[in-house]
Amino acid sequence: MTAPPSAPNLPYDRHRYVHVAQSDQVTDLSTGLTMTPAALARRLDGIQPEDWSIQAYLFASDHGIQKVDAYEFFPNQPQIVEWDGVRYLNRWTPRDFQPVEGDVTPFLEHLTYLYDGDEASLKFVLDWMACLVQKPEQKQSTALLLTSEAEGIGKGIKGQMLAQLVGVNNTRYLSPDALSSDFNDWLASASLVIVEEFEDNGRRSAMARIKNYITDEIVDINPKHAARYRARNQANFLFFANAAAPLKITEADRRFLVHRSQAQPKPESYYRELMVWFMGDGRCYVLHFLLTRDLSHYNPRGRAPRTRFHQELVVQARDPQIDYLHRAFEAQEPPFACDLVVVKHVVDHVNSVGRVRLTTRNVEDFLRDIGALHLQRQYRLIAGHDGRSHVWAIRQLERWQGEVPVEQVRDAYVHPDDQPALLLDLQEVPRAPLAVQPQRRTPTGS
């Protein structure tokens, strides 16, 4: 086969298309669409010289299209990136406007309206948004969850604004079902993920996956009809909801900044004028404001502030068994009148009283919820007794760090059956002050 003649007036731009070996797909850089090599060949059939097939001409000749090894997402980097010996097609695209210093009052007033003037929440939200704009390559380990009693208050406008600031091509809008799907190739090309009408579907595995998406810096990508692969995760999540309790979270959860807005809808003219301002010069002003915001105090991998709305979700999400344990713990009633507990003793005691039926898993989940400390070794709680017990500290944790002498544990531990008073029905009986410390009894089992 002879080399093709020069063809200076080819009816296609070879720099417009990129072949990605990882997926054996061709990306049209002008539209962002992908296709198979055969589809591109059919589209451009007839351009090749005699004695050359179209595919040979496009992929093997001097006039061939660009070639890379894989896709990746490199914010603020060129379209083709070579990194660690691999050539990538960068899925990140720059925004189409520039920062300009100006008045951002309408933007700040809208956020203040949505967050009911809560200064702590507003400060975190602005820091979170500024980090997303200033450092899109920095994965944040928190997400924003904004719910409201009323519909039509403009939560979605906040999302539209942020999508513009991040870049609409770097933003993914997902339904709750798409978010919890096993197929997640959207995650490999997103700086911002917006989920509207979010509500936990009750599938424990799906919620665990979503929480991993929020925190993990490396994730498994599972495309439809293609092989799995590992990729950097640079997606940050913004959730909107109308449900009163859209999410089940535990006491120890650090991922979500939760706010339930009390705002009421404004006239349609307010939202229309706000977006006209923003899509004009406003977005340039807000971009400058966020790009110049001081983030020296902000930790992108830190925990979200604990709001009262977060605590309300924690309480609403509790199973009856876990809720019962929390109420007993907060009241310092048996089996939590002592600073140390043994899981089996808690289970046996509560089940013998008959208020709720507990399992070992219930008690262990509760202890993790409250941040209890599992002592480093097992202890014989009664001298000369062969049984050893796993002991947890639920208060004064600093006292129980490291290697703790057995005598100290024996002196402090009180079996639930010997703790003051009977186990009360915490929903019906007023909580009384604790009585004097009783005598300890011989523990049964471990």
Side-chain angles (χ1 to χ4, degrees):
M1 184 178 296
T2 60
S6 60
N9 298 313
L10 286 176
Y12 88 107
D13 178 2
R14 63 184 294 264
H15 298 291
R16 174 177 171 175
Y17 303 99
V18 180
H19 179 253
V20 183
Q22 178 187 46
S23 59
D24 194 24
Q25 295 281 308
V26 174
T27 294
D28 183 343
L29 299 181
S30 66
T31 64
L33 297 176
T34 61
M35 65 196 83
T36 65
L40 176 62
R42 288 194 297 271
R43 174 181 295 185
L44 302 177
D45 191 26
I47 69 166
Q48 76 278 17
E50 293 182 12
D51 300 326
W52 279 75
S53 71
I54 180 63
Q55 290 208 40
Y57 191 75
L58 291 177
F59 294 99
S61 74
D62 292 339
H63 299 281
I65 63 175
Q66 302 180 88
K67 304 173 187 65
V68 299
D69 300 296
Y71 292 109
E72 249 296 358
F73 195 72
F74 292 101
N76 293 330
Q77 296 297 317
Q79 206 163 41
I80 304 294
V81 176
E82 292 193 22
W83 182 58
D84 202 20
V86 180
R87 188 172 164 86
Y88 293 99
L89 175 60
N90 188 6
R91 284 174 158 165
W92 178 85
T93 58
R95 65 183 73 84
D96 58 359
F97 59 96
Q98 298 300 317
V100 176
E101 187 172 3
D103 183 10
V104 296
T105 299
F107 169 74
L108 294 177
E109 286 182 343
H110 187 64
L111 288 184
T112 301
Y113 155 69
L114 291 178
Y115 285 89
D116 305 301
D118 184 319
E119 292 185 4
S121 293
L122 281 168
K123 180 179 183 298
F124 184 83
V125 168
L126 286 170
D127 288 344
W128 190 91
M129 296 172 73
C131 185
L132 184 57
V133 172
Q134 289 184 30
K135 306 174 183 179
E137 70 284 353
Q138 170 67 65
K139 169 65 176 169
Q140 301 184 75
S141 59
T142 54
L144 306 184
L145 171 60
L146 179 61
T147 74
S148 65
E149 296 179 357
E151 296 185 14
I153 65 170
K155 299 191 299 290
I157 286 179
K158 174 191 171 184
Q160 293 173 42
M161 289 177 168
L162 192 52
Q164 286 287 325
L165 298 167
V166 170
V168 291
N169 291 330
N170 307 318
T171 300
R172 300 290 173 267
Y173 282 86
L174 295 183
S175 68
D177 289 342
L179 177 65
S180 58
S181 168
D182 291 337
F183 301 111
N184 64 347
D185 53 336
W186 50 266
L187 190 60
S189 58
S191 283
L192 174 65
V193 177
I194 299 175
V195 185
E196 297 179 325
E197 298 184 11
F198 175 68
E199 190 165 5
D200 185 356
N201 62 14
R203 288 173 51 200
R204 195 166 184 172
S205 60
M207 197 62 228
R209 187 185 302 123
I210 292 168
K211 290 179 178 179
N212 289 339
Y213 291 163
I214 294 171
T215 56
D216 290 357
E217 294 180 291
I218 302 293
V219 288
D220 287 317
I221 302 299
N222 183 24
K224 214 169 191 177
H225 310 306
R228 290 174 178 263
Y229 62 95
R230 300 274 284 169
R232 294 180 305 143
N233 175 19
Q234 293 174 102
N236 297 280
F237 290 80
L238 175 59
F239 297 94
F240 297 128
N242 291 317
L247 176 68
K248 290 185 176 182
I249 50 179
T250 66
E251 197 80 37
D253 188 274
R254 56 183 289 168
R255 298 174 180 87
F256 294 92
L257 184 283
V258 182
H259 186 83
R260 183 152 183 79
S261 179
Q262 307 304 305
Q264 294 299 310
K266 294 191 175 188
E268 283 297 321
S269 59
Y270 164 80
Y271 304 106
R272 183 171 57 253
E273 291 168 7
L274 177 62
M275 284 307 293
V276 167
W277 168 82
F278 182 81
M279 293 305 295
D281 293 332
R283 59 180 181 169
C284 302
Y285 300 158
V286 176
L287 179 60
H288 180 273
F289 170 77
L290 293 176
L291 285 173
T292 56
R293 184 175 176 83
D294 180 13
L295 294 178
S296 60
H297 59 280
Y298 179 68
N299 179 9
R301 302 297 293 173
R303 68 180 305 144
R306 184 67 57 87
T307 66
R308 68 182 178 91
F309 306 101
H310 182 286
Q311 188 59 31
E312 288 174 5
L313 287 184
V314 169
V315 172
Q316 291 174 11
R318 288 173 181 161
D319 294 329
Q321 295 87 348
I322 302 297
D323 185 52
Y324 184 82
L325 293 173
H326 272 281
R327 288 184 288 114
F329 171 68
E330 290 159 7
Q332 296 191 24
E333 298 285 354
F336 302 123
C338 171
D339 289 350
L340 300 178
V341 299
V342 173
V343 171
K344 184 179 187 304
H345 299 171
V346 173
V347 172
D348 291 345
H349 176 76
V350 174
N351 287 348
S352 69
V353 174
R355 301 299 186 191
V356 294
R357 300 297 297 176
L358 294 181
T359 65
T360 297
R361 173 71 176 272
N362 293 148
V363 179
E364 290 176 345
D365 286 348
F366 159 76
L367 292 173
R368 294 186 182 95
D369 276 358
I370 65 170
L373 175 67
H374 189 191
L375 272 60
Q376 288 187 358
R377 63 186 179 90
Q378 299 180 57
Y379 290 88
R380 288 193 179 95
L381 295 178
I382 301 298
H385 192 274
D386 288 338
R388 293 176 179 267
S389 298
H390 289 278
V391 181
W392 295 70
I394 59 174
R395 300 183 192 91
Q396 303 185 66
L397 304 189
E398 66 284 351
R399 180 183 175 192
W400 307 103
Q401 298 285 345
E403 186 72 20
V404 181
V406 65
E407 293 80 9
Q408 183 178 338
V409 174
R410 287 175 183 167
D411 287 343
Y413 183 74
V414 181
H415 191 284
D417 292 347
D418 289 330
Q419 291 176 13
L422 295 174
L423 186 65
L424 301 177
D425 185 330
L426 298 173
Q427 289 181 320
E428 300 176 2
V429 183
R431 294 165 182 163
L434 293 180
V436 297
Q437 189 85 338
Q439 296 294 314
R440 288 179 283 116
R441 70 190 287 278
T442 302
T444 56
S446 59

